[in-house]
Amino acid sequence: MSGVDVKVETTDDAVRVILVGDVDLGNVDRVATDIHSAITNQVTAATVDLSDVGYLDSAGLRVLFELAVRLPTLQITLVLVAPPGSPARRVVDMSGLSGVATVVP
């Protein structure tokens, strides 16, 4: 089980959450808490950057699926950054998450 760092960059009306490392059952609760804390009702756009995620398990996917469902209700757009060929992009594409969230390289 490896760790993950969660970095947050905020502008006036947008937030970018950058995950670095492995997202798995051992750290997903902290990752979810950090992401939910970063996306306040003052933002209109949220980006979750998975470019530096080496491993993303089903628990991590669940957090991302929940965001994809919840944020539009709050009128917050969600973009996932996952470069083609990256470990996170393969999981996102195989899971069908790319069908419910905007995924960009």
Side-chain angles (χ1 to χ4, degrees):
M1 181 169 37
S2 298
V4 64
D5 290 324
V6 180
K7 301 174 186 177
V8 177
E9 299 173 352
T10 306
T11 61
D12 293 334
D13 61 351
V15 65
R16 182 181 193 90
V17 179
I18 303 163
L19 303 179
V20 179
D22 297 339
V23 181
D24 56 30
L25 187 58
N27 59 29
V28 74
D29 289 337
R30 180 179 60 83
V31 170
T33 298
D34 290 350
I35 290 172
H36 290 293
S37 295
I39 303 173
T40 66
N41 61 358
Q42 280 79 34
V43 301
T44 59
T47 300
V48 179
D49 191 333
L50 306 170
S51 298
D52 293 318
V53 170
Y55 178 76
L56 180 64
D57 75 359
S58 60
L61 276 174
R62 178 184 46 82
V63 171
L64 297 174
F65 269 105
E66 288 172 354
L67 285 175
V69 170
R70 184 175 69 90
L71 292 184
T73 304
L74 302 173
Q75 297 180 346
I76 299 172
T77 61
L78 174 65
V79 173
L80 302 176
V81 178
S86 69
R89 181 62 173 258
R90 287 190 294 274
V91 172
V92 165
D93 288 342
M94 285 189 303
S95 69
L97 182 57
S98 56
V100 295
T102 301
V103 182
V104 298

